[in-house]
Every structure is written in structure tokens, then in C-alpha cells.
Amino acid sequence: ETGVTQTPRHLVMGMTNKKSLKCEQHLGHNAMYWYKQSAKKPLELMFVYNFKEQTENNSVPSRFSPECPNSSHLFLHLHTLQPEDSALYLCASSQTDSSGNTIYFGEGSWLTVV
Amino acid sequence: QKEVEQDPGPLSVPEGAIVSLNCTYSNSAFQYFMWYRQYSRKGPELLMYTYSSGNKEDGRFTAQVDKSSKYISLFIRDSQPSDSATYLCAITSGGSYIPTFGRGTSLIVHP
């Protein structure tokens, strides 16, 4: 139990579907993150929210749409994805005013686009 | 030059060996260092963190930082097959709270 919960753990969607990934953190942190991890590639930072405000958008295509209604919840809305978007999507959280800003990850959501 | 360099491996060792995993970094402003372990099809799990040069020990794991050389290491003593995973280093600077990750090193400990 990492304190960061992601649902669903596995998702298969067609290219015309709309789906959402959900993340909830129980650690009282103020910042939340979405990362993408593809096979044999490094972690790619997608979005960062700090106190519900988006502070980073790492040139992510508009078919990925984040939503952060409060500091504990983060969503990633998906629509008209491509097969190359198949990857592990990781949510993370941190307390940015703590020493070093250690971030904690969820177990990830495995996405397959068919 | 990437900010954080990490050899992807795989690194294959026999059970009981001492494992050394390493990262180099280029930004001298980096001051906080973390190591994560990621099992296949799971999220990364924080193993250790440190912000000073020198060694920090936790059980079979030792994190070492050499700021003068911009080099960090994770040593695993008495390695076990259950240590087989990908190990990622992550570093933050004082100016940004967003960590920079290495690409991870795949470790295989065979019985």
C-alpha cells in the first residue's frame, strides 16, 4: 500500500473510445503528477498539479486531458488515442515543501489501445 | 548530455553477490537523491533517499553520493532473486521540486 491508488489497473480501449484514469492519494500531499512509461523507455513526465493548479504540461497531445478537482484526486481523460499511446500510466504525489520533494507512485494503469 | 545518465543493463549477477548500481548527473545544483525499485508491471517504490555526500545504509542497501564527481551509487549486499527489478535513480535540485529520473537499470539475480 503506497498511499496512492490508481484505477483501473488495466484498460483496453479502441481508438474512438473515451475513458478516464483515476488517481487518489491518501498522504496529504499538495502536488500530483502523471507519468507515462513505455516499454524500454524512461519515465516521461506528462502533467504536474500543485495545489490543484497545473504547473507543468510537458507538450502532451490534447487527446490526453488532465483534471485535478482537489489536492487528493487526479484524473486523466483519454479520447481518440493511438496504438502508440499504449503504456503504463503512473500517478504520483509529493509534498513540495518537504526536504527534497520525495514523490510516491501508485501501482499504475496499464493501457492498451487497439 | 542528459541531466541524469543510468546504464539500462541488464545486469545479471549470482545470488549472494554485491551489486553496484550507478548514476551520473551533470547539474551541480542537484542536491537530493532518491533510489526507486520497480518490479515488472508495478509502480516504482521508494527505496532510499539522501541529500548529503557520503553513505546512507538501510539493511542490505547502501546509498552513496559523491557530489564532487556528480556520481551516485546504490549497493545491494547479499543479493537475492527477489531483488530482481529495475532500479531508478531520481534527483531534485533546490530550484525545482520536480525530480529528474534516470532511465533505470534492470537487475537480474539468478539462483
Side-chain angles (χ1 to χ4, degrees):
Chain A
E1 174 60 50
T2 66
V4 180
T5 304
Q6 291 188 241
T7 55
R9 292 294 315 280
H10 301 272
L11 178 62
V12 179
M13 59 186 289
M15 290 190 285
T16 58
N17 291 161
K18 288 185 181 181
K19 297 284 184 184
S20 295
L21 306 180
K22 178 184 175 183
C23 178
E24 182 175 359
Q25 59 99 358
H26 312 277
L27 301 169
H29 291 162
N30 63 281
M32 296 189 77
Y33 309 73
W34 279 117
Y35 283 88
K36 176 184 177 183
Q37 190 176 41
S38 304
K40 300 190 186 299
K41 288 188 178 180
L43 278 173
E44 297 174 49
L45 179 66
M46 299 176 73
F47 302 103
V48 182
Y49 280 82
N50 193 349
F51 290 107
K52 302 188 300 177
E53 299 298 320
Q54 187 180 117
T55 58
E56 291 282 331
N57 178 336
N58 211 17
S59 302
V60 180
S62 59
R63 58 185 183 270
F64 295 91
S65 175
E67 179 190 358
C68 188
N70 54 61
S71 293
S72 299
H73 293 86
L74 185 64
F75 296 88
L76 188 62
H77 303 299
L78 316 168
H79 62 99
T80 58
L81 295 190
Q82 306 298 309
E84 60 265 28
D85 296 322
S86 299
L88 177 65
Y89 288 85
L90 291 160
C91 175
S93 72
S94 73
Q95 186 62 30
T96 57
D97 59 359
S98 67
S99 177
N101 188 49
T102 307
I103 74 170
Y104 294 85
F105 288 91
E107 292 283 43
S109 293
W110 279 97
L111 173 66
T112 303
V113 181
V114 297
Chain B
Q1 181 188 12
K2 290 185 181 154
E3 286 199 293
V4 179
E5 299 272 8
Q6 188 176 11
D7 187 334
L11 176 62
S12 182
V13 301
E15 183 175 356
I18 297 174
V19 175
S20 173
L21 303 162
N22 310 297
C23 287
T24 58
Y25 61 94
S26 58
N27 188 345
S28 58
F30 284 153
Q31 55 185 239
Y32 196 79
F33 309 91
M34 295 166 274
W35 283 98
Y36 289 83
R37 176 176 62 196
Q38 185 175 22
Y39 290 116
S40 180
R41 304 186 71 82
K42 299 276 192 177
E45 166 196 12
L46 179 67
L47 268 181
M48 298 183 71
Y49 60 90
T50 183
Y51 56 87
S52 58
S53 283
N55 295 350
K56 180 178 181 180
E57 192 173 316
D58 184 1
R60 295 185 297 113
F61 298 90
T62 300
Q64 185 177 82
V65 175
D66 182 347
K67 289 187 179 179
S68 62
S69 301
K70 300 191 184 70
Y71 191 87
I72 64 172
S73 299
L74 178 71
F75 297 98
I76 307 175
R77 290 185 299 281
D78 188 25
S79 56
Q80 303 295 310
S82 58
D83 295 326
S84 299
T86 296
Y87 291 80
L88 299 102
C89 63
I91 310 176
T92 56
S93 70
S96 170
Y97 62 84
I98 299 173
T100 301
F101 280 87
R103 62 181 300 145
T105 298
S106 174
L107 172 67
I108 301 167
V109 181
H110 51 86

